Amino acid sequence: MQGKSISFWSKAGFNEFDPLEKMGWRVKKAPARSTTILLIFILFLGVYMYSNYRIDSNLLTSSTSGNNLLVQTQKTTKIAEIPLNCSAGKLTRTCPTNYPENVSTSSSSTECPNYFRWIHEDLRPWKNTGITLDMIERAKRTANFRLIILDGKAYMEMYKKSFHSRDMNTVWGILQLLRRYPGKLLDLDLMFDCLDWPAIKSSDYQGPNATTAPPLFCYSGNAETLDIVFPDWSFWGWPEINIKPWNILSKEIKEGNKNTKWMDRTRYAYWKGNPSVAPNRREFIKCNVSEKHDWNARLYAQDWRAETRKGYQNSNLATQCTHRYKIYIEGQAWSVSEKYILACDSPTLLIKPIYYDFFTRGLVPMQHYWPIKEKDSCKSIKFAVDWGNDHPEEVQAIGSAASKFMHEGLKMDNVYDYMFHLLNQYAKLLRYKPTIPPKAVNVCSETLACQADGTAKTFMMESMVKSPSDSSPCTLPLPFDSPDLQDLLRKNEESIKEMEMLESRFWENQPKQI
């Protein structure tokens, strides 16, 4: 039926049955006395066909040019998948020329999660000055790579290799964003630093003669730095230690949460990680159970080299939601482990952090986590576990709220939308037209995935965006005004102090030998 016009009011009159005959139907001429019955039948059939085969005139059929991605079906509109074409790219490391340039999408009525408001804060240092080419080039000092997006195509210039595959996984994530929203990302030029800690100190850009800070993208920030915080590489997997992409692992953790009800979980706080990476972790590991003390903590050292040899038999994050409480502590700086811990449906005992990533500023103390003192953390952990075991409903609510935040607020749809809004808001600040540096190369999903193998290839395939989104990104919320932001920070601080006072009173009433 597709492509044939349907009209039930023929110039030749109803008895000629032009509409049905034109559509290929063989219709036996009815005697005049049956005209009324046939008219009713034709009208009924027309309404039925119209409702089931209506074709929106705005939709585009699939095209070999790659520019038009919407295809017509009988009842629904489906966006065609973008195939991964490795036939040529594997040999020549070239990108296909028929990538979609644009896709019609429905407007989004969904507002982004509240933590998206921090996008405006991270870009505030350049709100009045804009971003110049000189600023970009000054950010090269610590950057691992430079990324340029022009007319929907990505170009990368490598400066120095990152630890493991952080750089390639980060670029892979941005390439998936381009597949998700083709033609919707503005031209941009950015520098990216793949270390755990931020590099741009705000104190270096203060005073009457100070220059404007160079914009540098990074995975974390703190109160004393100006780095632009971006989702970390592990959202698309960490092949070197067999951590799956977030779209896969988050579902497995959610299913793992169902295996043991909270009341049936071990009544202690659990942590597993590498204690040797930082002094604070080496001190923290002393909170483990011993002959002299039981601080309600069960802490396990993770030997990644041994795990690699054993095939990661004991490092499946989806099976580690077996204790009533989970502990998060920073390493050298921020740690990717935070999202896996918060997703576990057990209240997270969060040792006071210095650093934040792109979503953690949306967490509220005593709503999404239990704050633990940085100093004297052993006593703080013991109090939290004892209090929680005596007040199970209250602490279960904290664990459930954090788990919901991670599985809904941090689903990959929102991760991509955060990236989209951050990059587009950043691009609007550029005061020059980006160009392709002489040493930059065109990168796309083919140039990365077609060359990969093993676990890296598997994770890329599992995290690859198969087709453009059929709807626009969520709506970016307005920036904080100063009173709102100060009020938010004040309330968070007051909540932490209130818990610390409750803990202090608890220990004041304990025997001195404890």
Side-chain angles (χ1 to χ4, degrees):
M1 304 300 178
Q2 188 170 338
K4 295 191 177 183
S5 62
I6 301 174
S7 173
F8 293 97
W9 302 100
S10 171
K11 292 181 179 179
F14 299 117
N15 289 335
E16 295 299 324
F17 306 106
D18 284 351
L20 298 181
E21 290 178 338
K22 288 179 180 179
M23 290 188 291
W25 288 61
R26 289 188 176 183
V27 181
K28 185 178 180 180
K29 303 294 184 179
R33 55 188 174 83
S34 302
T35 300
T36 303
I37 297 175
L38 287 172
L39 281 175
I40 294 173
F41 169 76
I42 292 171
L43 288 171
F44 174 81
L45 180 63
V47 171
Y48 173 80
M49 294 178 66
Y50 182 80
S51 63
N52 284 277
Y53 296 88
R54 181 173 57 90
I55 298 173
D56 189 336
S57 60
N58 292 325
L59 301 184
L60 299 172
T61 57
S62 59
S63 170
T64 56
S65 69
N67 295 333
N68 304 324
L69 261 289
L70 295 185
V71 298
Q72 299 165 348
T73 61
Q74 290 182 345
K75 293 187 179 181
T76 60
T77 299
K78 180 181 179 182
I79 297 183
E81 290 190 2
I82 308 172
L84 188 72
N85 182 7
C86 288
S87 58
K90 190 170 184 178
L91 299 175
T92 63
R93 294 179 181 268
T94 57
C95 295
T97 58
N98 63 339
Y99 260 52
E101 296 177 359
N102 208 334
V103 172
S104 299
T105 57
S106 61
S107 60
S108 175
S109 59
T110 304
E111 184 167 287
C112 304
N114 204 46
Y115 66 83
F116 279 54
R117 300 179 77 180
W118 289 97
I119 290 174
H120 304 291
E121 297 305 310
D122 285 350
L123 297 178
R124 191 174 296 279
W126 303 277
K127 180 180 179 181
N128 296 325
T129 63
I131 296 172
T132 64
L133 180 59
D134 173 69
M135 295 178 192
I136 294 290
E137 291 176 342
R138 283 193 286 116
K140 180 180 177 179
R141 180 176 57 87
T142 64
N144 289 89
F145 65 86
R146 182 176 188 172
L147 186 77
I148 300 93
I149 295 177
L150 285 178
D151 300 323
K153 296 180 176 62
Y155 303 85
M156 180 184 183
E157 182 178 7
M158 180 71 75
Y159 296 132
K160 53 188 174 184
K161 191 73 183 73
S162 71
F163 177 67
H164 284 171
S165 55
R166 295 182 178 197
D167 46 9
M168 290 298 102
N169 270 24
T170 299
V171 173
W172 174 260
I174 296 173
L175 294 175
Q176 303 321 297
L177 177 67
L178 291 172
R179 289 168 69 94
R180 181 180 176 89
Y181 296 123
K184 291 180 169 55
L185 234 63
L186 302 177
D187 292 349
L188 58 84
D189 183 2
L190 63 82
M191 296 284 186
F192 208 108
D193 188 324
C194 297
L195 292 175
D196 285 345
W197 50 85
I200 307 299
K201 296 180 179 179
S202 56
S203 58
D204 293 341
Y205 303 95
Q206 295 175 352
N209 299 320
T211 58
T212 303
L216 179 67
F217 284 72
C218 186
Y219 302 124
S220 71
N222 62 35
E224 299 177 352
T225 57
L226 300 174
D227 298 61
I228 302 170
V229 182
F230 196 81
D232 72 83
W233 73 95
S234 66
F235 280 97
W236 298 273
W238 191 349
E240 290 83 2
I241 57 175
N242 201 42
I243 292 180
K244 298 177 183 178
W246 180 241
N247 65 317
I248 303 294
L249 183 54
S250 61
K251 294 176 183 177
E252 293 183 356
I253 293 176
K254 192 172 185 178
E255 287 301 309
N257 287 342
K258 301 175 183 178
N259 292 336
T260 309
K261 294 181 180 179
W262 188 85
M263 289 298 292
D264 296 333
R265 297 183 183 185
T266 306
R267 296 165 58 92
Y268 299 105
Y270 173 93
W271 179 84
K272 189 173 186 179
N274 186 352
S276 64
V277 297
N280 62 326
R281 285 195 179 182
R282 290 193 289 271
E283 186 65 25
F284 159 71
I285 205 70
K286 297 177 183 178
C287 297
N288 213 350
V289 61
S290 67
E291 293 181 358
K292 293 183 178 180
H293 295 288
D294 187 351
W295 302 111
N296 289 335
R298 300 296 184 263
L299 314 178
Y300 302 88
Q302 175 78 320
D303 185 340
W304 282 111
R305 290 183 179 178
E307 276 301 294
T308 302
R309 291 193 298 270
K310 296 177 182 178
Y312 308 100
Q313 296 176 5
N314 301 309
S315 59
N316 185 355
L317 295 171
T319 63
Q320 295 183 18
C321 300
T322 57
H323 290 64
R324 288 189 180 181
Y325 311 88
K326 299 292 294 287
I327 300 173
Y328 170 76
I329 181 172
E330 293 178 335
Q332 294 180 348
W334 148 92
S335 170
V336 299
S337 64
E338 190 165 13
K339 58 180 171 291
Y340 311 123
I341 291 170
L342 287 162
C344 233
D345 206 25
S346 289
T348 296
L349 310 185
L350 199 150
I351 297 176
K352 187 175 183 179
I354 297 174
Y355 301 89
Y356 53 78
D357 66 8
F358 78 102
F359 73 87
T360 51
R361 288 170 288 184
L363 299 174
V364 179
M366 299 311 298
Q367 178 181 332
H368 298 110
Y369 67 92
W370 184 293
I372 298 294
K373 294 178 181 178
E374 181 184 10
K375 296 181 179 180
D376 218 359
S377 58
C378 300
K379 285 186 175 181
S380 194
I381 291 170
K382 178 171 175 55
F383 167 71
V385 172
D386 283 345
W387 192 96
N389 286 336
D390 290 337
H391 303 81
E393 291 185 2
E394 288 90 333
V395 293
Q396 281 187 76
I398 295 174
S400 296
S403 184
K404 182 178 180 181
F405 185 105
M406 302 308 295
H407 293 293
E408 297 180 14
L410 202 64
K411 60 186 177 181
M412 282 306 298
D413 288 346
N414 286 335
V415 175
Y416 281 122
D417 284 3
Y418 189 96
M419 295 162 59
F420 175 87
H421 285 302
L422 175 59
L423 293 178
N424 265 4
Q425 293 299 314
Y426 169 86
K428 292 175 183 178
L429 295 172
L430 296 184
R431 296 294 180 262
Y432 66 98
K433 173 68 175 175
T435 57
I436 305 171
K439 296 182 180 181
V441 296
N442 186 199
V443 288
C444 57
S445 295
E446 281 76 5
T447 60
L448 270 64
C450 295
Q451 318 301 323
D453 55 20
T455 303
K457 179 68 169 281
T458 299
F459 287 175
M460 285 183 180
M461 294 299 96
E462 290 177 340
S463 62
M464 187 173 70
V465 171
K466 302 295 192 302
S467 60
S469 173
D470 59 0
S471 62
S472 299
C474 60
T475 303
L476 181 65
L478 295 173
F480 293 106
D481 58 31
S482 185
D484 282 348
L485 181 56
Q486 294 305 314
D487 185 55
L488 172 65
L489 299 176
R490 177 184 57 79
K491 287 181 178 179
N492 287 350
E493 190 64 30
E494 287 178 353
S495 180
I496 294 173
K497 288 182 178 179
E498 183 179 344
M499 183 48 58
E500 289 178 347
M501 290 177 61
L502 186 63
E503 180 186 327
S504 296
R505 288 197 294 268
F506 169 81
W507 286 110
E508 288 171 1
N509 295 325
Q510 299 303 307
K512 295 296 182 181
Q513 65 267 25
I514 295 182

